[in-house]
Amino acid sequence: MKKSTLFLAALLCMMMQSVSTFAGDRLIPTEQLPAAAMAFIQENFPGEGVMFAKKDFDNGRRQFEVHLNNGVQLEFDKKGNWDKVDCQFNAVPAHLVPTVIANYVQTSYPDATIVKIDKERYGFKIELSNDLEMKFNKQGALFDIDD
């Protein structure tokens, strides 16, 4: 009896944890995305449809995650400004990459393309088609490489 009560209590705790972990994410219709996010998608990925969109409350701040039909994953802040662009195997639209970072990549890794860019507090994190991850400060100076 004691074991089954303990087991049920543990099971209940696990279920509550998993519910609270995903409670902040919910699917939303595309129309509920901020206008700026929709404009970004139309400008940078014309003709691509939205597979699904989610509203996420991460660390108390609202953001949006969008998955396009071509596999591109996007994240936006609550105003619709992009935070992350993950093009999987294709190049990120060139105008999204700061010039100094694009020049560094072109010079140092001419056979690679930037397939992911993520705005961070410190600057930018990018991933190249050769699987290198790099971190740049706000001025565009490289300060970390992870292979």
PDB file of all heavy atoms in Angstrom, residues 106-120:
ATOM      1  N   GLN A 106      33.071  35.180 -45.117  1.00  0.00           N
ATOM      2  CA  GLN A 106      33.461  35.061 -46.524  1.00  0.00           C
ATOM      3  C   GLN A 106      34.974  34.933 -46.668  1.00  0.00           C
ATOM      4  O   GLN A 106      35.464  34.136 -47.471  1.00  0.00           O
ATOM      5  CB  GLN A 106      32.953  36.265 -47.319  1.00  0.00           C
ATOM      6  CG  GLN A 106      33.305  36.215 -48.795  1.00  0.00           C
ATOM      7  CD  GLN A 106      32.696  35.014 -49.505  1.00  0.00           C
ATOM      8  OE1 GLN A 106      31.583  34.600 -49.227  1.00  0.00           O
ATOM      9  NE2 GLN A 106      33.443  34.444 -50.430  1.00  0.00           N
ATOM     10  N   THR A 107      35.716  35.678 -45.867  1.00  0.00           N
ATOM     11  CA  THR A 107      37.174  35.642 -45.941  1.00  0.00           C
ATOM     12  C   THR A 107      37.745  34.367 -45.320  1.00  0.00           C
ATOM     13  O   THR A 107      38.615  33.723 -45.894  1.00  0.00           O
ATOM     14  CB  THR A 107      37.773  36.870 -45.213  1.00  0.00           C
ATOM     15  OG1 THR A 107      37.244  38.051 -45.816  1.00  0.00           O
ATOM     16  CG2 THR A 107      39.287  36.883 -45.295  1.00  0.00           C
ATOM     17  N   SER A 108      37.239  33.996 -44.154  1.00  0.00           N
ATOM     18  CA  SER A 108      37.810  32.861 -43.410  1.00  0.00           C
ATOM     19  C   SER A 108      37.267  31.507 -43.836  1.00  0.00           C
ATOM     20  O   SER A 108      37.957  30.494 -43.708  1.00  0.00           O
ATOM     21  CB  SER A 108      37.542  33.051 -41.907  1.00  0.00           C
ATOM     22  OG  SER A 108      38.088  34.276 -41.475  1.00  0.00           O
ATOM     23  N   TYR A 109      36.043  31.462 -44.311  1.00  0.00           N
ATOM     24  CA  TYR A 109      35.379  30.204 -44.691  1.00  0.00           C
ATOM     25  C   TYR A 109      34.641  30.399 -46.017  1.00  0.00           C
ATOM     26  O   TYR A 109      33.412  30.365 -46.052  1.00  0.00           O
ATOM     27  CB  TYR A 109      34.415  29.748 -43.587  1.00  0.00           C
ATOM     28  CG  TYR A 109      35.084  29.596 -42.248  1.00  0.00           C
ATOM     29  CD1 TYR A 109      35.081  30.647 -41.329  1.00  0.00           C
ATOM     30  CD2 TYR A 109      35.756  28.426 -41.918  1.00  0.00           C
ATOM     31  CE1 TYR A 109      35.728  30.518 -40.108  1.00  0.00           C
ATOM     32  CE2 TYR A 109      36.400  28.288 -40.706  1.00  0.00           C
ATOM     33  CZ  TYR A 109      36.385  29.341 -39.804  1.00  0.00           C
ATOM     34  OH  TYR A 109      37.027  29.223 -38.595  1.00  0.00           O
ATOM     35  N   PRO A 110      35.381  30.606 -47.106  1.00  0.00           N
ATOM     36  CA  PRO A 110      34.739  30.938 -48.383  1.00  0.00           C
ATOM     37  C   PRO A 110      33.804  29.861 -48.934  1.00  0.00           C
ATOM     38  O   PRO A 110      32.920  30.167 -49.729  1.00  0.00           O
ATOM     39  CB  PRO A 110      35.921  31.173 -49.323  1.00  0.00           C
ATOM     40  CG  PRO A 110      37.073  30.478 -48.688  1.00  0.00           C
ATOM     41  CD  PRO A 110      36.824  30.517 -47.211  1.00  0.00           C
ATOM     42  N   ASP A 111      33.976  28.622 -48.509  1.00  0.00           N
ATOM     43  CA  ASP A 111      33.116  27.543 -49.004  1.00  0.00           C
ATOM     44  C   ASP A 111      31.887  27.306 -48.126  1.00  0.00           C
ATOM     45  O   ASP A 111      31.080  26.429 -48.432  1.00  0.00           O
ATOM     46  CB  ASP A 111      33.908  26.230 -49.112  1.00  0.00           C
ATOM     47  CG  ASP A 111      35.027  26.333 -50.144  1.00  0.00           C
ATOM     48  OD1 ASP A 111      34.866  27.111 -51.099  1.00  0.00           O
ATOM     49  OD2 ASP A 111      36.048  25.649 -49.982  1.00  0.00           O
ATOM     50  N   ALA A 112      31.759  28.068 -47.045  1.00  0.00           N
ATOM     51  CA  ALA A 112      30.645  27.877 -46.113  1.00  0.00           C
ATOM     52  C   ALA A 112      29.646  29.019 -46.235  1.00  0.00           C
ATOM     53  O   ALA A 112      29.982  30.124 -46.667  1.00  0.00           O
ATOM     54  CB  ALA A 112      31.164  27.794 -44.677  1.00  0.00           C
ATOM     55  N   THR A 113      28.417  28.734 -45.849  1.00  0.00           N
ATOM     56  CA  THR A 113      27.380  29.762 -45.803  1.00  0.00           C
ATOM     57  C   THR A 113      26.804  29.822 -44.396  1.00  0.00           C
ATOM     58  O   THR A 113      26.863  28.840 -43.647  1.00  0.00           O
ATOM     59  CB  THR A 113      26.234  29.468 -46.803  1.00  0.00           C
ATOM     60  OG1 THR A 113      25.682  28.192 -46.503  1.00  0.00           O
ATOM     61  CG2 THR A 113      26.721  29.502 -48.227  1.00  0.00           C
ATOM     62  N   ILE A 114      26.241  30.955 -44.060  1.00  0.00           N
ATOM     63  CA  ILE A 114      25.584  31.118 -42.764  1.00  0.00           C
ATOM     64  C   ILE A 114      24.181  30.557 -42.890  1.00  0.00           C
ATOM     65  O   ILE A 114      23.381  31.046 -43.683  1.00  0.00           O
ATOM     66  CB  ILE A 114      25.557  32.596 -42.338  1.00  0.00           C
ATOM     67  CG1 ILE A 114      26.980  33.129 -42.207  1.00  0.00           C
ATOM     68  CG2 ILE A 114      24.776  32.760 -41.030  1.00  0.00           C
ATOM     69  CD1 ILE A 114      27.075  34.629 -42.000  1.00  0.00           C
ATOM     70  N   VAL A 115      23.885  29.507 -42.108  1.00  0.00           N
ATOM     71  CA  VAL A 115      22.572  28.862 -42.184  1.00  0.00           C
ATOM     72  C   VAL A 115      21.684  29.198 -40.983  1.00  0.00           C
ATOM     73  O   VAL A 115      20.491  28.898 -40.992  1.00  0.00           O
ATOM     74  CB  VAL A 115      22.700  27.322 -42.331  1.00  0.00           C
ATOM     75  CG1 VAL A 115      23.370  26.968 -43.648  1.00  0.00           C
ATOM     76  CG2 VAL A 115      23.439  26.700 -41.162  1.00  0.00           C
ATOM     77  N   LYS A 116      22.271  29.828 -39.966  1.00  0.00           N
ATOM     78  CA  LYS A 116      21.498  30.181 -38.771  1.00  0.00           C
ATOM     79  C   LYS A 116      22.113  31.420 -38.148  1.00  0.00           C
ATOM     80  O   LYS A 116      23.328  31.536 -38.050  1.00  0.00           O
ATOM     81  CB  LYS A 116      21.527  29.008 -37.781  1.00  0.00           C
ATOM     82  CG  LYS A 116      20.752  29.225 -36.507  1.00  0.00           C
ATOM     83  CD  LYS A 116      20.836  27.958 -35.650  1.00  0.00           C
ATOM     84  CE  LYS A 116      20.146  28.062 -34.346  1.00  0.00           C
ATOM     85  NZ  LYS A 116      20.290  26.834 -33.547  1.00  0.00           N
ATOM     86  N   ILE A 117      21.250  32.348 -37.733  1.00  0.00           N
ATOM     87  CA  ILE A 117      21.705  33.530 -37.010  1.00  0.00           C
ATOM     88  C   ILE A 117      20.752  33.774 -35.855  1.00  0.00           C
ATOM     89  O   ILE A 117      19.538  33.647 -35.997  1.00  0.00           O
ATOM     90  CB  ILE A 117      21.823  34.764 -37.931  1.00  0.00           C
ATOM     91  CG1 ILE A 117      22.444  35.930 -37.162  1.00  0.00           C
ATOM     92  CG2 ILE A 117      20.492  35.113 -38.564  1.00  0.00           C
ATOM     93  CD1 ILE A 117      22.928  37.060 -38.054  1.00  0.00           C
ATOM     94  N   ASP A 118      21.321  34.085 -34.714  1.00  0.00           N
ATOM     95  CA  ASP A 118      20.553  34.237 -33.489  1.00  0.00           C
ATOM     96  C   ASP A 118      21.022  35.507 -32.787  1.00  0.00           C
ATOM     97  O   ASP A 118      22.217  35.653 -32.503  1.00  0.00           O
ATOM     98  CB  ASP A 118      20.799  33.008 -32.604  1.00  0.00           C
ATOM     99  CG  ASP A 118      19.809  32.844 -31.486  1.00  0.00           C
ATOM    100  OD1 ASP A 118      18.952  33.717 -31.297  1.00  0.00           O
ATOM    101  OD2 ASP A 118      19.901  31.824 -30.773  1.00  0.00           O
ATOM    102  N   LYS A 119      20.108  36.437 -32.546  1.00  0.00           N
ATOM    103  CA  LYS A 119      20.461  37.630 -31.782  1.00  0.00           C
ATOM    104  C   LYS A 119      20.559  37.249 -30.305  1.00  0.00           C
ATOM    105  O   LYS A 119      19.669  36.598 -29.769  1.00  0.00           O
ATOM    106  CB  LYS A 119      19.396  38.709 -31.946  1.00  0.00           C
ATOM    107  CG  LYS A 119      19.347  39.348 -33.304  1.00  0.00           C
ATOM    108  CD  LYS A 119      18.260  40.413 -33.328  1.00  0.00           C
ATOM    109  CE  LYS A 119      18.066  41.006 -34.683  1.00  0.00           C
ATOM    110  NZ  LYS A 119      16.932  41.949 -34.712  1.00  0.00           N
ATOM    111  N   GLU A 120      21.627  37.662 -29.689  1.00  0.00           N
ATOM    112  CA  GLU A 120      21.842  37.411 -28.263  1.00  0.00           C
ATOM    113  C   GLU A 120      22.118  38.734 -27.563  1.00  0.00           C
ATOM    114  O   GLU A 120      22.360  39.752 -28.223  1.00  0.00           O
ATOM    115  CB  GLU A 120      23.037  36.459 -28.070  1.00  0.00           C
ATOM    116  CG  GLU A 120      22.878  35.094 -28.721  1.00  0.00           C
ATOM    117  CD  GLU A 120      21.882  34.188 -28.001  1.00  0.00           C
ATOM    118  OE1 GLU A 120      21.476  34.534 -26.871  1.00  0.00           O
ATOM    119  OE2 GLU A 120      21.527  33.153 -28.574  1.00  0.00           O
TER     120      GLU A 120
END
